[in-house]
Amino acid sequence: MTEVVHEAHQPKAATRWWRDAVIYQVYVRSFADGDGDGVGDLVGARGRLGYLADLGVDAVWLTPFYTSPMADFGYDVADYRDVDPVFGTLADARALIDDAHAYGMRVIIDVVPNHTSDRHAWFAAAVQAGPGAPERGRYIFRPGRGASGELPPNDWESVFGGPAWTRLPDGEWYLHLFDHRQPDLNWDSPEVHEEFTAILRFWLDLGVDGFRVDVAHGMVKAPGLPDIGTAGQVELLGTAVLPYFDQEGVHEIHRGWRRLLDSYEGERIGVAEAWAPTQERLARYVRPDELHQAFNFHFLKAPWDAAVMRVVIDESIATVSPVGAPSTWVLSNHDVKRHVTRYGGGEAGVRRARAAALLMLALPGSAYVYQGEELGLPEVLDLPDEVCRDPQRLRAPGDGRDGCRVPIPWAHAEPPFGFGPPGVADTWLPMPRSWAPLTVEAQAGDPGSTLSLYRAALRLRRGHAALGDGTMRWHGSPPGTLVFGRGEDFVCTVNMTGEPVELPRPGDLLLASAPVAQRGRSVVLAADSAAWWAAGRA
Ligand code: NOJ
């Protein structure tokens, strides 16, 4: 492991680092276990920073580690200024941030402003205080409809399924766009604004380099909370404008937060988790006076199809360029099926995922890597019902998010694959025995492994002037393939068909996701593969 050299974190001014950073998502619960309870924690993550530095990422995004009853695994925060005992202590958080900085990596943490936990002191006070009390003004309480208020105040549905309202014994209803243990805050309340400014300051003062803003499109609701008029609203998420998402008012909040971030040294950033109906609507979150990045979920959702992928890439760039922002590419996260599986699973899924990595890392802008994608991990599809814990499974039984949150296999031939200290048998979700060849240990020395591919790609990307921020141009290529150039001397080829494809040789091979056959002045790209070329030297 690389030795940590402790020195003051001194980011250079105005590097605009986020424009081409590769940021690694640590889902803390499932990354590495320091204390042997089978649940990942901050000490465990800190111990693996050397691995991340060797991998070659620029920053780490840590999912919520705040005090939480874990109804939604930390996205239900009871205390925004402390660390849940299952994840460690505030001192552990500080040590992790300092060590990451010593390794030259930045640290982004989650902030969850749309809702709190029902165990947050504010919600407890609101329940206690009763209808009409000012304590209720921090949340969205309403009387019900119907003769005796027995019906919810409107027809909104929770993202996790069922009505978005829950009734208290005193007769009032409160809004929760997610689980009933995640009451929505009322962003019309100045107190809510002040509290979040103070929370952001708390963590900025502790040294974090930015925030991933959870449900950044959700804090503001349409005045009057109007009915939507249709059932099955979950199917409309991310495709239609709904009265609880992507409302104009959220942008004013992001502007205020940008001013706060800019008032700190060191180029602190905000990244929006915003499910906007169109790329144009998404681009509004990264206007110059708002957040720095917004996950490109349109790219994540694109199927393994060259024509569709090309349209999504073009639209992504065309919509963010006018506002002067880069696109933020992402293939997987803790909420979606891992892309090995989305792209078909099995050997084809792995081939495509490897090719997708080279595609993503060659595109202009920044990219997020979700823990385990560098190992080519598939979704775990056969978790027994009794171990699955995701509240979203209410909505789609058998199709929750547990399968992408299985702990990371680090070493050895059997579960728990070095996830925690020696001698600890169980992990919070069971790990498949079939992952033995996918551990970090198994892949590290194998030049053909997916881990080696990511390491090589990240090293090349960091050292290549044409990669990262900038522009791209398409080259003509056969159907089912994508070929594009960056700068004067870089070309990326992607064959998204299930057959080998012959192309004129673009230059000297730099890196490939699968063997490339050279035939005189032509090359044959394997099925479902991508390659990087030093152009102009054919
Ligand atoms: C998005 C988070 O990524 C997800 O895990 C969570 O359930 C919802 N927001 C609600 O906070």
Side-chain angles (χ1 to χ4, degrees), residues 232-413:
Q233 293 157 21
V234 162
E235 305 313 321
L236 302 175
L237 294 177
T239 58
V241 177
L242 297 166
Y244 48 77
F245 278 159
D246 200 31
Q247 297 292 307
E248 195 53 39
V250 295
H251 296 286
E252 207 40 62
I253 300 171
H254 299 318
R255 284 189 198 104
W257 287 10
R258 176 61 180 258
R259 286 192 294 274
L260 177 65
L261 291 166
D262 285 349
S263 73
Y264 277 76
E265 294 274 304
E267 298 184 282
R268 319 285 178 109
I269 70 161
V271 50
E273 186 234 6
W275 292 85
T278 62
Q279 302 242 36
E280 286 78 11
R281 301 284 306 180
L282 184 64
R284 303 171 85 237
Y285 290 78
V286 288
R287 289 179 287 195
D289 59 348
E290 297 197 35
L291 301 176
H292 299 74
Q293 300 181 324
F295 293 107
N296 185 343
F297 294 130
H298 298 271
F299 178 68
L300 179 151
K301 289 202 301 194
W304 188 248
D305 177 303
V308 177
M309 199 65 100
R310 180 168 168 156
V311 169
V312 170
I313 292 169
D314 279 341
E315 278 179 14
S316 307
I317 294 172
T319 47
V320 290
S321 299
V323 298
S327 186
T328 300
W329 311 100
V330 58
L331 291 166
S332 276
N333 65 32
H334 64 291
D335 291 332
V336 297
K337 205 167 257 146
R338 284 188 176 274
H339 58 279
V340 165
T341 306
R342 282 201 327 267
Y343 291 150
E347 285 178 16
V350 174
R351 281 201 308 271
R352 293 171 183 168
R354 288 167 59 93
L358 292 196
L359 166 64
M360 173 173 84
L361 294 171
L363 290 171
S366 76
Y368 278 71
V369 172
Y370 176 48
Q371 65 181 34
E373 79 173 63
E374 80 280 18
L375 305 176
L377 296 186
E379 183 83 359
V380 180
L381 295 170
D382 56 358
L383 286 170
D385 271 353
E386 59 277 14
V387 302
C388 290
R389 315 260 288 275
D390 174 19
Q392 187 174 293
R393 295 177 87 245
L394 277 181
R395 185 182 96 203
D399 193 25
R401 300 170 296 180
D402 301 281
C404 62
R405 299 174 175 181
V406 171
I408 295 298
W410 291 97
H412 315 311

Side-chain angles (χ1 to χ4, degrees), residues 72 75 115 160 178 212 214-215 273 334-335 401 405:
D72 190 17
Y75 284 98
H115 44 264
F160 289 163
F178 294 88
R212 176 263 193 193
D214 189 62
V215 200
E273 186 234 6
H334 64 291
D335 291 332
R401 300 170 296 180
R405 299 174 175 181

Side-chain angles (χ1 to χ4, degrees), residues 9 81 90 94 97-98 101 109 197-211 260-261 263-265 268:
H9 176 48
R81 294 179 183 79
L90 210 46
R94 195 178 281 117
I97 295 165
D98 290 348
H101 287 163
I109 62 169
T197 301
I199 291 165
L200 296 185
R201 278 192 184 286
F202 176 86
W203 290 101
L204 289 166
D205 291 339
L206 216 96
V208 303
D209 298 285
F211 301 95
L260 177 65
L261 291 166
S263 73
Y264 277 76
E265 294 274 304
R268 319 285 178 109

Side-chain angles (χ1 to χ4, degrees), residues 167-198:
R167 196 177 194 194
L168 291 179
D170 60 34
E172 273 208 330
W173 298 74
Y174 67 89
L175 179 71
H176 52 86
L177 292 182
F178 294 88
D179 192 76
H180 66 279
R181 292 160 293 180
Q182 294 169 292
D184 277 50
L185 285 162
N186 171 22
W187 277 85
D188 288 335
S189 156
E191 224 186 323
V192 171
H193 285 258
E194 283 156 23
E195 175 64 359
F196 273 87
T197 301

